[in-house]
Amino acid sequence: MNWINFAGYFGAFLSAITFIPQVLKAWQTKSVGDLSIWMIMIVITSTIVWLVYGFALHTGPVIAANLIVLALALLLLYFKLTFKQ
Amino acid sequence: MNWINFAGYFGAFLSAITFIPQVLKAWQTKSVGDLSIWMIMIVITSTIVWLVYGFALHTGPVIAANLIVLALALLLLYFKLTFKQ
């Protein structure tokens, strides 16, 4: 693997874990008032679009990263809708 | 442009605008206590990695989308560090 491929995989890894700290913080504080529900909705929509793209081209990293982000974004949406604002 | 290419560009567009609603909400409310600074730091790091990747492969959409996300994430970091928690 050359360094450009490594950068691509490292970028995909970082993108995949982006919302882990936010999910943990929301879970610990039970406070989500400052989170934009539109940000969450855009993330969910974009991951679905990326999954369609990834499955169409059979690109494993795109599929894996976006499945992780979709799961985290759905958790954030659940927190946003159920925690006291 | 076939529909797969369209999905790729649409996904890149949605990814690029992900943080616009969050920046607007933070600016309007001046409240960022619920935002994870680690999420913001991961976004900044990932966009820099993706920009290295994008410039190395001369992929315009990757460069454009990540420049937008980087600018929005830097704004969120500035809000996070300066607004009252």
Side-chain angles (χ1 to χ4, degrees):
Chain A
M1 188 187 311
N2 65 27
W3 72 267
I4 297 176
N5 281 340
F6 176 79
Y9 280 103
F10 188 48
F13 169 75
L14 289 173
S15 294
I17 67 170
T18 296
F19 290 103
I20 289 178
Q22 186 63 69
V23 166
L24 291 177
K25 185 179 180 81
W27 175 252
Q28 286 163 352
T29 62
K30 304 286 186 288
S31 177
V32 292
D34 296 336
L35 287 183
S36 165
I37 194 167
W38 292 108
M39 174 188 72
I40 300 169
M41 299 305 289
I42 293 175
V43 172
I44 291 170
T45 310
S46 72
T47 52
I48 292 170
V49 172
W50 280 122
L51 283 171
V52 169
Y53 179 84
F55 278 112
L57 294 183
H58 306 285
T59 51
V62 172
I63 294 169
N66 281 283
L67 281 177
I68 294 168
V69 176
L70 177 58
L72 294 167
L74 288 172
L75 260 177
L76 275 185
L77 179 64
Y78 175 72
F79 292 167
K80 180 72 184 175
L81 295 176
T82 57
F83 290 166
K84 200 170 54 183
Q85 297 295 306
Chain B
M1 190 188 307
N2 65 26
W3 71 268
I4 298 176
N5 280 340
F6 176 78
Y9 280 103
F10 189 46
F13 169 74
L14 289 173
S15 295
I17 66 171
T18 297
F19 291 102
I20 290 179
Q22 186 62 68
V23 165
L24 290 176
K25 185 179 180 79
W27 176 252
Q28 286 162 354
T29 63
K30 305 284 186 288
S31 177
V32 291
D34 295 337
L35 287 182
S36 165
I37 194 167
W38 291 108
M39 173 188 73
I40 300 169
M41 298 306 289
I42 292 175
V43 172
I44 291 170
T45 309
S46 72
T47 52
I48 292 170
V49 172
W50 279 122
L51 283 170
V52 169
Y53 180 84
F55 278 113
L57 295 182
H58 306 288
T59 52
V62 173
I63 294 169
N66 282 283
L67 280 177
I68 294 168
V69 175
L70 177 59
L72 293 167
L74 288 172
L75 260 176
L76 275 185
L77 180 64
Y78 175 72
F79 292 166
K80 181 71 184 174
L81 295 177
T82 56
F83 289 165
K84 199 168 57 184
Q85 297 293 309

